[in-house]
Amino acid sequence: MLKARIAVIGAGLMGHGIAQVFAVAGHDVTIYDSIAASRDSAKARILANLKDLGDDQSAVERVRPAADLADAVRDADYVVEAVLEDLPLKQRLFVEIEKHVPPDTILASNTSVIPITSIMDGLRDRSRALGTHWWNPPYLVPLVEVIATQWTSVKAIDWTVALHQAAGKMPVRVIKDVPGFVGNRLQHALWREAIALVEHGICDAETVDTVVKASFGRRLAVLGPLENADLVGTDLTLSIHRTVLPAIEHRAGPSPYLEALVAQGKLGFKSGEGFRKWSAQEQAGLRTKVVQHLKNARISEN
């Protein structure tokens, strides 16, 4: 069994979940956060998750919170960063981490969209730096995108893929480092068109969500878009694209409709209204529904 010393930097929503996955897989995990409250509550949050999932609760004993960054990473075989999506912050963090880790330690960022090349540009040894984009919640969504830069060694990628496979994840190799990688480019291409449909008065937000959930969304777990294109035929796909692609939203920047919502303080669940209005009860119900769906998928996969 692959055994490694893991350091997780950031104990928030993603960080504590990543630490949990590695601890359940039998690795010793150190978790660091500059915010004491996040760091000190990490083990309690992990334990609550383990109880909820019916996983081995003793795994939490393999997690050690650290109040000092250098102490957290000093003996690590693998460091994964899961802090705020702030490029200068991530850049400074990795420069500091590199001062304290052994020469063969792999350095990974869990950024959702920022190019890994930008984050790791200031390192002395960029051959060991890469991206590992997990999805929320990390202990329920299997995918991890492993992103190489032009500097990343094949050995570093192979080892990282093996580490995540052994932890029960589903790693995929992203060969070229681009903003958003694969998953978020696909997801936000859909969101852009979804917003445009509402913006141009074609339908309301509830209709958009219903159409996705009650049609092609039902197939997506077992039928990817390119599998679907092959299933119906590339000739039919080409014919459809000749008609529909010229009419699909293609502006380079964000939607003015989305910008207006934010300017008006309509921030979704945070404010009770975004594209739709949300009561506290409706918010709780949707969150519960999503988590239960992911739990059921996890059970069926096992």
Side-chain angles (χ1 to χ4, degrees), residues 30-54:
T30 303
I31 187 165
Y32 166 82
D33 198 298
S34 60
I35 300 173
S38 294
R39 182 178 66 244
D40 295 342
S41 65
K43 291 188 70 169
R45 285 178 282 139
I46 290 171
L47 183 58
N49 291 338
L50 295 173
K51 290 178 178 178
D52 182 56
L53 295 170

Side-chain angles (χ1 to χ4, degrees), residues 5-264:
R5 292 164 297 186
I6 308 291
V8 179
I9 311 304
L13 184 67
M14 296 300 293
H16 88 280
I18 293 171
Q20 174 183 324
V21 170
F22 283 128
V24 169
H27 302 292
D28 292 326
V29 182
T30 303
I31 187 165
Y32 166 82
D33 198 298
S34 60
I35 300 173
S38 294
R39 182 178 66 244
D40 295 342
S41 65
K43 291 188 70 169
R45 285 178 282 139
I46 290 171
L47 183 58
N49 291 338
L50 295 173
K51 290 178 178 178
D52 182 56
L53 295 170
D55 287 346
D56 181 9
Q57 295 177 34
S58 68
V60 75
E61 299 308 317
R62 289 190 282 274
V63 178
R64 179 180 72 88
D68 179 71
L69 178 63
D71 173 53
V73 304
R74 186 172 291 116
D75 298 318
D77 300 305
Y78 178 81
V79 178
V80 56
E81 164 270 316
V83 302
L84 298 174
E85 289 287 72
D86 180 321
L87 177 58
L89 171 63
K90 292 177 185 290
Q91 290 171 327
R92 291 193 302 270
L93 190 57
F94 276 105
V95 168
E96 184 64 24
I97 289 170
E98 191 178 33
K99 297 176 183 176
H100 303 289
V101 294
D104 56 350
T105 301
I106 304 254
L107 305 179
S109 174
N110 179 55
T111 177
S112 299
V113 296
I114 302 173
I116 307 304
T117 305
S118 299
I119 294 171
M120 305 299 190
D121 186 54
L123 298 183
R124 296 189 305 273
D125 179 8
R126 296 175 293 191
S127 69
R128 58 174 170 174
L130 45 80
T132 51
H133 175 218
W134 296 58
W135 293 73
N136 184 41
Y139 44 86
L140 289 178
V141 182
L143 185 73
V144 177
E145 294 173 278
V146 180
I147 305 108
T149 72
Q150 67 264 40
W151 312 302
T152 312
S153 71
V154 173
K155 180 180 178 182
I157 291 290
D158 288 346
W159 189 90
T160 302
V161 168
L163 174 71
H164 288 77
Q165 282 179 330
K169 305 306 292 181
M170 186 183 295
V172 295
R173 297 171 189 248
V174 181
I175 300 167
K176 188 174 181 180
D177 181 29
V178 293
F181 319 124
V182 177
N184 267 323
R185 289 173 78 94
L186 292 168
Q187 178 172 232
H188 285 274
L190 173 60
W191 289 17
R192 177 173 64 179
E193 184 59 25
I195 295 169
L197 290 168
V198 177
E199 176 184 353
H200 298 306
I202 297 164
C203 63
D204 61 17
E206 184 175 1
T207 298
V208 169
D209 292 332
T210 298
V211 166
V212 172
K213 292 186 291 185
S215 62
F216 65 87
R218 299 211 172 183
R219 300 190 300 245
L220 283 175
V222 294
L223 185 67
L226 299 184
E227 289 175 324
N228 199 353
D230 276 348
L231 188 153
V232 303
T234 56
D235 53 342
L236 176 57
T237 300
L238 176 59
S239 178
I240 291 170
H241 280 195
R242 284 175 172 154
T243 300
V244 75
L245 289 189
I248 284 180
E249 183 59 63
H250 58 275
R251 62 166 63 99
S255 162
Y257 185 89
L258 176 59
E259 291 179 325
L261 287 179
V262 174
Q264 294 162 18

